[in-house]
């Protein structure tokens, strides 16, 4: 019990009479008035001590220092500065008042001043623990002053410096702790003051009542400020969440609109091309085997485009939580892409070392693998549209840190029909290449050649990663 109630045990020992006459005969021992006062103080302080322990065991809602969430450095440092100023002022003033006005022993006055002023620095991070130290120091000081004669005209049990330091501590508590803890602190303060008033009413001049009302006011005011700041913080967080939800909803609506347009326009026309190419050998009589093979190639390419279109529509219509289930194309499908381009009438030479095909699954991230494939695909599509019949070279190289992609085509043959004349390009192909390269942190170089033709060169880092790119 003495270990748990340090303040109470000290009060009991301090108020036991030192000059009580020993018991020499039978019958009940005579009661000392000072002993009766001691028992009343111990009983009152016991209840106050229970409130102290209850409040001390109620941790603050946040463990960081006061004002630690502020974005400004000077605001985060301000609580330490204010606590240091009060500690520096109260330490000598408390010591001076206790020694000069109350004629308390210098050593006891110095210890009491340190225990009442130093915990103000601790109050920035652990205000309840600091309050427990300060309250015990105030109780011991009041007990020591109770034994000093000739101080009936002095403020007791709380000297003026004690009241000032205690109120500073109340502000720190109110800005950090919950309402239940603040009420427990206030009740404990009143119980300790009332106990001293009951012990020596002739010396109590109402300082305990003054501290009771002032501490309640400071706790209520600082607690109201804290609750208002908490409400503003929660409102700000809710507004931020609402803004993110609105942006996300707008993005989903835009993606849904794009998916609807792609489905209604592009997917419809690709389906028509597939049906026409598949049915051409049955609708047109006496087709040569070469023409039949050409229609089969057109139908296969259209079906592959439809499959990628469906995958893209799935990505656009989803919220991105599940991601894509089907595998994306990569460098292992370059040969199939080149064959389709050759069937379209473009002479293509591909140079891809076998080492790349062996290492690409282990070395390349999915984003880089997909980006390399899409760059070659878009470059070959531009050759088919804008330079039909030209000679094209596709080469892929691998270094220790980068993957290089180079697509070079010569000038278009004069006797070849230019698709560009029928359907002018939208100019989005090169922009799409640049976006893919930028997402993986690579470099892209495009431009016409001096003798005619065009060049597309990309440098992609091997270890780069990015968000899943739609097919």
């Amino acid at each position: 019990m003495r270990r748990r109630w340090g303040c109470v045990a000290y009060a009991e020992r301090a108020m036991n009479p030192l000059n009580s006459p020993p018991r020499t005969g039978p019958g009940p021992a005579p009661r000392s008035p000072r002993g009766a006062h001691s028992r009343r103080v111990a009983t009152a302080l016991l209840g106050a001590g229970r409130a102290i322990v209850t409040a001390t065991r109620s941790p603050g809602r946040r463990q960081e220092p006061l004002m630690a969430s502020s974005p400004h450095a000077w605001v985060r440092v301000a609580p330490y500065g204010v606590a240091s100023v009060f500690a520096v002022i109260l330490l000598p003033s408390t010591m001076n008042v206790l020694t000069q006005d109350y004629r308390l022993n210098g050593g006891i006055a110095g210890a009491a001043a340190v225990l009442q002023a130093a915990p103000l620095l601790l109050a920035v991070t652990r205000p309840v623990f600091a309050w427990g130290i300060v309250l015990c120091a105030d109780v011991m000081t009041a007990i020591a002053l109770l034994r000093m004669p000739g101080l009936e005209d002095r403020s007791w049990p709380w000297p003026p410096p004690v009241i000032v330091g205690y109120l500073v501590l109340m502000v720190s508590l109110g800005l950090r702790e919950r309402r239940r803890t603040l009420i427990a602190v206030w009740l404990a303060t009143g119980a300790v003051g009332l106990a001293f008033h009951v012990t020596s009413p002739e010396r109590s001049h109402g300082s305990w009542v003054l501290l009771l009302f002032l501490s309640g006011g400071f706790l209520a005011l600082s607690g109201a400020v804290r609750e208002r700041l908490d409400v503003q913080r929660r409102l700000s967080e809710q507004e931020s969440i609402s803004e993110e939800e609105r942006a996300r909803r707008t993005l989903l609506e835009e993606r849904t609109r794009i998916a609807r347009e792609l489905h209604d326009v592009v997917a419809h026309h690709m389906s028509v091309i597939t049906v026409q190419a598949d049915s051409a050998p049955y609708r047109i009589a006496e087709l040569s085997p070469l023409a039949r093979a050409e229609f089969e190639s057109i139908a296969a390419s259209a079906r592959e485009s439809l499959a990628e279109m469906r995958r893209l529509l799935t990505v656009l219509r989803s919220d991105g939580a599940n991601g894509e289930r089907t595998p994306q194309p990569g460098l292992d499908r370059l040969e199939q892409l080149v064959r389709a381009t050759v069937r379209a009438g473009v002479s293509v030479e591909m140079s891809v070392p076998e080492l790349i095909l062996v290492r690409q699954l282990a070395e390349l991230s999915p984003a880089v693998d997909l980006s390399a494939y899409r760059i070659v695909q878009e470059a070959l599509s531009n050759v088919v549209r804008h330079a039909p019949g030209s000679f094209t070279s596709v080469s892929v190289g691998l270094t220790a840190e980068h993957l290089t992609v180079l697509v070079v085509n010569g000038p278009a043959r004069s006797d070849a029909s230019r698709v560009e004349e029928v359907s002018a390009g939208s100019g989005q192909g090169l922009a799409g290449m640049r976006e893919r390269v930028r997402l993986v942190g690579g470099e892209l170089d495009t431009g016409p050649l001096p003798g005619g033709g065009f060049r597309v060169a990309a440098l992609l880092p091997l270890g780069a990663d990015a968000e899943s790119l739609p097919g």
Side-chain angles (χ1 to χ4, degrees):
M1 180 63 74
R2 289 185 179 179
R3 227 172 18 249
R4 186 174 182 182
W5 311 105
C7 296
V8 177
Y10 182 88
E12 291 176 345
R13 291 195 301 269
M15 291 196 173
N16 279 336
L18 300 178
N19 54 356
S20 299
R23 182 179 178 182
T24 58
R31 292 187 177 181
S32 170
R34 191 179 294 272
H37 290 322
S38 176
R39 282 191 294 273
R40 286 198 296 267
V41 171
T43 302
L45 291 180
L46 186 61
R50 290 173 179 169
I52 294 172
V53 174
T54 302
T56 305
R57 289 180 177 177
S58 301
R61 297 173 302 114
R62 298 182 295 272
Q63 296 300 322
E64 69 271 11
L66 191 64
M67 304 297 181
S69 59
S70 174
H72 305 288
W74 68 271
V75 176
R76 296 193 297 268
V77 177
Y80 292 98
V82 174
S84 300
V85 169
F86 276 100
V88 170
I89 294 175
L90 288 175
L91 182 60
S93 62
T94 303
M95 190 171 180
N96 182 66
V97 169
L98 292 180
T99 54
Q100 300 296 327
D101 297 347
Y102 289 84
R103 298 191 299 275
L104 195 61
N105 179 271
I108 298 177
V114 171
L115 290 177
Q116 291 169 2
L120 295 180
L121 299 175
L122 181 61
V124 178
T125 54
R126 300 185 62 185
V128 176
F129 185 67
W131 169 74
I133 297 175
V134 170
L135 186 60
C136 286
D138 293 346
V139 169
M140 289 186 291
T141 303
I143 293 173
L145 295 178
L146 182 62
R147 302 173 61 86
M148 301 297 296
L151 299 179
E152 288 76 10
D153 58 338
R154 301 294 182 184
S155 176
W156 185 87
W158 313 130
V162 170
I163 296 178
V164 175
Y166 201 84
L167 294 179
V168 173
L169 194 58
M170 293 300 100
V171 174
S172 179
L173 277 166
L175 293 176
R176 282 290 302 274
E177 299 302 321
R178 295 170 292 188
R179 185 179 300 178
R180 182 179 63 184
T181 303
L182 301 184
I183 294 175
V185 168
W186 185 70
L187 292 178
T189 303
V192 172
L194 180 60
F196 281 116
H197 174 73
V198 172
T199 301
S200 183
E202 67 279 0
R203 300 190 59 177
S204 177
H205 294 285
S207 62
W208 71 276
V209 178
L210 177 64
L211 181 60
L212 179 64
F213 280 98
L214 287 179
S215 62
F218 275 65
L219 286 174
L221 181 61
S222 56
V225 172
R226 174 189 54 80
E227 291 180 357
R228 179 178 177 83
L229 293 177
D230 287 345
V231 170
Q232 291 179 348
R233 177 178 54 82
R234 287 194 293 268
L235 287 177
S236 178
E237 292 176 354
Q238 188 62 39
E239 290 177 358
S240 177
I241 294 174
S242 301
E243 186 66 26
E244 292 177 359
E245 289 296 329
R246 284 193 294 270
R248 183 172 176 270
R249 184 168 60 251
T250 302
L251 176 61
L252 290 178
E253 291 175 354
E254 182 66 16
R255 290 171 61 173
T256 302
R257 186 188 66 79
I258 295 174
R260 183 171 59 251
E261 295 294 331
L262 288 174
H263 178 271
D264 294 342
V265 180
V266 181
H268 171 72
H269 291 300
M270 294 301 298
S271 299
V272 172
I273 293 174
T274 303
V275 173
Q276 289 178 340
D278 283 333
S279 62
Y282 305 98
R283 292 184 290 102
I284 303 176
E286 299 179 357
L287 279 178
S288 64
L290 185 60
R292 289 177 180 272
E294 187 66 24
F295 276 118
E296 291 177 359
S297 175
I298 294 173
S301 298
R303 278 192 293 270
E304 182 179 357
S305 299
L306 273 177
E308 295 192 9
M309 181 65 66
R310 292 191 187 99
R311 183 167 58 248
L312 177 60
L313 292 177
T314 301
V315 172
L316 290 175
R317 284 173 172 168
S318 67
D319 58 357
N322 297 326
E324 278 191 88
R325 295 284 192 265
T326 56
Q328 295 279 15
L331 294 179
D332 55 345
R333 296 180 59 179
L334 276 184
E335 187 175 356
Q336 180 180 355
L337 179 63
V338 170
R339 288 201 193 99
T341 308
V342 171
R343 288 194 298 267
V346 177
S347 177
V348 180
E349 179 184 78
M350 184 178 69
S351 174
V352 181
E354 189 67 24
L355 180 61
I356 294 180
L357 299 179
V358 174
R359 293 180 55 190
Q360 65 96 10
L361 292 178
E363 300 285 346
L364 298 182
S365 66
V368 172
D369 198 15
L370 175 62
S371 297
Y373 176 85
R374 293 303 188 195
I375 290 172
V376 176
Q377 183 185 44
E378 182 61 33
L380 293 179
S381 299
N382 289 338
V383 172
V384 173
R385 289 195 299 267
H386 307 301
S390 65
F391 177 78
T392 306
S393 172
V394 177
S395 61
V396 179
L398 187 66
T399 64
E401 298 179 353
H402 294 89
L403 176 75
T404 59
V405 178
L406 180 63
V407 181
V408 180
N409 65 275
R413 290 190 332 211
S414 58
D415 56 345
S417 61
R418 295 172 60 89
V419 180
E420 183 184 16
E421 297 175 356
V422 179
S423 175
S426 62
Q428 298 299 320
L430 294 179
M433 291 184 191
R434 294 190 184 95
E435 182 178 358
R436 290 184 181 277
V437 172
R438 180 179 57 82
L439 286 176
V440 298
E443 299 177 4
L444 181 69
D445 182 24
T446 61
L449 298 176
F454 204 80
R455 178 192 74 258
V456 174
L459 184 67
L460 308 176
L462 293 179
D465 200 1
E467 297 180 358
S468 179
L469 300 174

